[in-house]
Amino acid sequence: ADALTIGSYTLTSRLMVGSSGYPNPQVMLDAIDASGADMVTVAIRRVNVENPAPESHLDLLRKGGHTILPNTAGCYTAREAVLVANLAREALDTDLIKLEVIGDDEMLMPDVEQLLKAAKTLVDDGFTVLAYANDDPITCRKLADLGCAAVMPLGAPIGSGMGIVNPYNLRIIREELPDTPLIVDAGIGTASDAAQAMELGYDGILLNTAIAEAKHPVDMARAIRHGLEGGRLAYRAGRIPRRRYAKASSPQQGRVGS
Amino acid sequence: ADALTIGSYTLTSRLMVGSSGYPNPQVMLDAIDASGADMVTVAIRRVNVENPAPESHLDLLRKGGHTILPNTAGCYTAREAVLVANLAREALDTDLIKLEVIGDDEMLMPDVEQLLKAAKTLVDDGFTVLAYANDDPITCRKLADLGCAAVMPLGAPIGSGMGIVNPYNLRIIREELPDTPLIVDAGIGTASDAAQAMELGYDGILLNTAIAEAKHPVDMARAIRHGLEGGRLAYRAGRIPRRRYAKASSPQQGRVGS
Amino acid sequence: ADALTIGSYTLTSRLMVGSSGYPNPQVMLDAIDASGADMVTVAIRRVNVENPAPESHLDLLRKGGHTILPNTAGCYTAREAVLVANLAREALDTDLIKLEVIGDDEMLMPDVEQLLKAAKTLVDDGFTVLAYANDDPITCRKLADLGCAAVMPLGAPIGSGMGIVNPYNLRIIREELPDTPLIVDAGIGTASDAAQAMELGYDGILLNTAIAEAKHPVDMARAIRHGLEGGRLAYRAGRIPRRRYAKASSPQQGRVGS
Amino acid sequence: ADALTIGSYTLTSRLMVGSSGYPNPQVMLDAIDASGADMVTVAIRRVNVENPAPESHLDLLRKGGHTILPNTAGCYTAREAVLVANLAREALDTDLIKLEVIGDDEMLMPDVEQLLKAAKTLVDDGFTVLAYANDDPITCRKLADLGCAAVMPLGAPIGSGMGIVNPYNLRIIREELPDTPLIVDAGIGTASDAAQAMELGYDGILLNTAIAEAKHPVDMARAIRHGLEGGRLAYRAGRIPRRRYAKASSPQQGRVGS
């Protein structure tokens, strides 16, 4: 009823998750199951794509019926990212790619120039590109104009758990790109962050660390799922305006005892 | 499993809702049903407690199996509030009372002096008192010390939809009163606010306007329910710490193509 | 030109400072001098009011031409505070009193009930009462109605340096009490906090720790003085409205090279 | 004593201002004088650089002893910006250029790709480049690496008066570029914003609309100047840490009357 379409893919869940950093594979599977996500992102340079071990994450996730979204984490140049994307396409037989091209190894923020270059190449090569971006409205618009299937501005640096540090910019990006699938990628730390992202009108969220490194990953996966669902419903339900002054929710007339 | 106990009452839902301001009684019932709330607060001065009309809100809510939490909305003095509470006890055969004593008719903020006076009288008279308070840690501690069954600091003025304007104070109140049931009452505007309240470790939330006056009240009731559930689960799941700097969620070793 | 009147006192500076916590008396005097403050608050229980040592803070401050504002820091009850105020009046021959009645020894937040009680007594006894309050609009209005010469809501707990944690409430208090001298007391940590307080329309600020415990107290005193002055001037100069979208500050016509 | 060096230029003031949008030239001159700025930026496409009228802004500003900082406002491409910069150099006999390359005509946010391209060309051509940037740490680092004399991330969109919407990123930029002159350019609305920018460790601020369109521009110029000075002093004075809990500023021992 409220499905999300990205390129030719229709997702039943608006939550996408990662697969790294979990205490062990079973917790990963249980948490992803609890999250309800159908699309799971996997860093391609960390799996042996040519000869995966029988119980690799990829196998486990595919057996679980998940759609694999390969990503180019760890790539610093367009060239590297395009190479990894092609490796992924060949090995996994998918045109999906979550494009990350980062500019430093500490904050892992996108390198906008390299990102745009890689996005252009991959779109031209027929990939369905989901582009991890910073929260710059101009860059996000360019990614959309290039033909990316989804644009994914960060809420905060990867793994920081800071939530959405600049809701002002995220709102502008939503307004500028009303028809592009927009996903908040990175920074989400807890359920209220997920809700807030959806209340800003975003189409989904992608996260990994908040679940994988929570004290209880499976419970946190459920928490984030509820938060996202609450935020999405609230966005569609039409919230009350913020009013600086109060307004009595109970009628004031007919007071007793006055 | 995660029930909330207030005095001798055990609630299956941590969400409490009001009953006023809805477009019509059917929407009210549907929204309250969607919210999952078992406790519903009703302003006593607005119902004819001695001779209620057959289809009054009270009847409807009782038929729906809800626990009625009468409130003293519109009372400006301890004397008034105590009078209304006694009226409610007699008419509704309940010791529950949501105590509101307000200091102005614009912001509807509590009058702390009158509130504390009324709380003392009502606790002494055997009421189960849920006290609507401001976000002052000292006042909240006094209400707990007086024997209130729950203390309910505001997130923001009633009906403002501003959310939690002072999370700093709400956090202090939680730390100072680890064993008192604490409910965020007033100010909640949307699902992320509900999640945030629970992530602060609060035991529940009470709201009315955010649902009743949303464009689609039933959907917003479901939204808030999810938000609360997400926040509660996240609180118990143990979120990751906020880190100023990012931390790669994917291992950096073994990069391809470098 | 822009003097502040509190009761029968006219202050040339809108900055009031404290006298405790400095590395040594000379730094205190230098910092207070740099701050430009004419009114300096002194905790009465810490000086031997009956027989002060020759070089006590009181003597030093008086020699420096400062108006002493005795305060009742450390008082937990109205009775205690009234006693200290009377001691101060007798010993210092002043009707000025900064009234503090706190409710705990950790956060040092006001006990509203005891505060209001003490304020009433002291106003009735002819004191010029400057009342340290929390940021509750109802309590602040009551203090003004009782006849306090100034109402001084906190920005944040004493010594916390958190700045103004709830500008929403401070704004409401200003709107509700347009004619009462309002001072932000406690919480100010740095120059921008001082500016913000004044931009909210407050009449002055009072602080101690931010200067006394800065690495370089004299420089910080100057910093705060500039911040306050900047905020005051900005408040009177009429700032531009906040606009969500940009507006070119340079004309767009006549572009070269297009 | 606390001069700011940008390239071969030494500025006595850390405040730079614009020259457009004033009610009339006299108010402009008076406000700039009150601001204390020595460097004033002028949009080049709006002056007739080849044959300026006798009383043009440029003449007025030069007579006033100000250093003219020509800017490329209104340029959408590197090519345009480079052309305007060269026009300015020839006409004004200066190597200074404030480089703006914007990506849209509504928010006036920088186009990062074009900006970097133009910056490289202009640095190579011997210009002293002050680059207006967004708050992306990677882009700012690239601009510094290219040899820009100053990097000027925005606080918020030009003319918005929103202040600093993302202090988190501005702080990261400062930490990443400890030795590059950093100026907050755009978004400043009032004195506290100016103070906050300096407290983040920035070397200066540049603004136009906040002064030019204030109700009283000359007073606002003085306000901003004080705010900046306060923030700078506070940054160097070493503020107290923020503590969640209060700490008594007056000794608690020796209480009277207990």
Side-chain angles (χ1 to χ4, degrees), chain C residues 119-142:
Chain C
K120 180 164 175 28
T121 302
L122 292 173
V123 169
D124 288 350
D125 284 357
F127 282 90
T128 296
V129 178
L130 292 80
Y132 167 61
N134 61 5
D135 61 8
D136 173 28
I138 307 296
T139 298
C140 287
R141 197 195 60 214
K142 287 186 179 185

Side-chain angles (χ1 to χ4, degrees), chain A residues 12 29 32-33 36-40 57-68:
Chain A
T12 53
L29 289 174
I32 292 174
D33 192 51
D38 45 22
M39 202 172 261
V40 179
H57 283 190
L58 280 177
D59 285 327
L60 289 170
L61 293 167
R62 280 168 157 171
K63 278 185 197 157
H66 294 293
T67 302
I68 304 295

Side-chain angles (χ1 to χ4, degrees), chain C residues 63-87:
Chain C
K63 279 185 197 159
H66 294 293
T67 303
I68 304 295
L69 172 63
N71 71 57
T72 64
C75 292
Y76 288 74
T77 64
R79 196 189 130 272
E80 261 187 295
V82 169
L83 178 61
V84 170
N86 278 285
L87 255 170

Side-chain angles (χ1 to χ4, degrees), chain A residues 2-14 16 128 149-150 179-183 203:
Chain A
D2 186 32
L4 168 61
T5 299
I6 293 179
S8 61
Y9 296 82
T10 300
L11 287 73
T12 53
S13 169
R14 290 172 178 275
M16 307 177 196
T128 296
D179 301 322
T180 303
L182 291 177
I183 311 292
D203 297 289

Side-chain angles (χ1 to χ4, degrees), chain C residues 139-253:
Chain C
T139 298
C140 287
R141 197 195 60 214
K142 287 186 179 185
L143 289 165
D145 288 348
L146 283 173
C148 290
V151 177
M152 310 203 292
L154 54 76
I158 293 175
S160 69
M162 294 285 291
I164 296 176
V165 296
N166 192 347
Y168 178 82
N169 271 28
L170 287 202
R171 193 181 295 275
I172 289 175
I173 293 166
R174 177 72 286 178
E175 289 171 1
E176 294 284 311
L177 299 173
D179 302 321
T180 303
L182 291 177
I183 311 291
V184 173
D185 181 3
I188 300 294
T190 185
S192 59
D193 298 338
Q196 189 191 4
M198 301 309 288
E199 287 164 2
L200 286 166
Y202 275 65
D203 297 289
I205 62 173
L206 189 156
L207 54 77
N208 183 46
T209 309
I211 294 176
E213 300 190 7
K215 198 165 171 191
H216 303 291
V218 177
D219 288 344
M220 186 54 88
R222 291 171 56 217
I224 300 281
R225 182 184 192 167
H226 277 290
L228 181 148
E229 184 72 9
R232 177 66 180 171
L233 280 165
Y235 174 68
R236 290 157 62 101
R239 62 159 290 158
I240 57 170
R242 287 181 181 83
R243 307 177 185 99
R244 282 205 43 238
Y245 269 34
K247 187 171 149 272
S249 59
S250 303
Q252 297 298 307
Q253 63 272 26

Side-chain angles (χ1 to χ4, degrees), chain A residues 129-189:
Chain A
V129 178
L130 294 80
Y132 166 62
N134 61 5
D135 61 8
D136 173 27
I138 307 295
T139 298
C140 288
R141 196 197 59 211
K142 286 188 181 185
L143 289 165
D145 288 349
L146 283 175
C148 290
V151 177
M152 310 204 291
L154 53 76
I158 294 175
S160 69
M162 293 286 291
I164 296 174
V165 296
N166 192 347
Y168 177 82
N169 272 27
L170 287 200
R171 192 182 297 275
I172 289 175
I173 294 167
R174 178 72 285 178
E175 290 171 2
E176 295 285 312
L177 300 174
D179 301 322
T180 303
L182 291 177
I183 311 292
V184 173
D185 181 2
I188 300 293

